[in-house]
Amino acid sequence: MIPVEPSISAGFNYSVQLHPWCIIRLLPNLQRSVVQRFRKRSEAEEYLKALKRLLPEASHQIVFDPNL
């Protein structure tokens, strides 16, 4: 693992805590990739609708994960 400066790491963790709803893309071999994070579930649902129109073959899900 690459070491990260504490100030950068702390800022990133705070941002993640403010945006607990995220859209993940399901990848092969049980892997996942975070596409975008949101403060509200309704914002995530609207974004997911747009993703489904743009990428109908891709598999995305909304999850609540404050510690991702």
Side-chain angles (χ1 to χ4, degrees), residues 24-68:
I24 60 168
R25 182 172 185 175
L26 302 174
L27 302 171
N29 298 326
L30 298 175
Q31 294 179 340
R32 65 182 183 205
S33 173
V34 176
V35 176
Q36 186 69 32
R37 298 185 71 88
F38 302 91
R39 286 185 185 225
K40 299 177 185 176
R41 181 178 173 91
S42 60
E43 295 172 347
E45 289 171 346
E46 292 299 317
Y47 195 89
L48 183 61
K49 286 180 188 177
L51 276 178
K52 286 184 179 182
R53 284 193 303 268
L54 294 172
L55 301 168
E57 70 284 347
S59 181
H60 295 91
Q61 286 187 345
I62 297 174
V63 295
F64 181 82
D65 192 0
N67 299 317
L68 189 62

Side-chain angles (χ1 to χ4, degrees), residues 11-22:
F12 176 74
N13 288 336
Y14 181 68
S15 175
V16 168
Q17 290 174 358
L18 289 178
H19 300 86
W21 292 100
C22 53

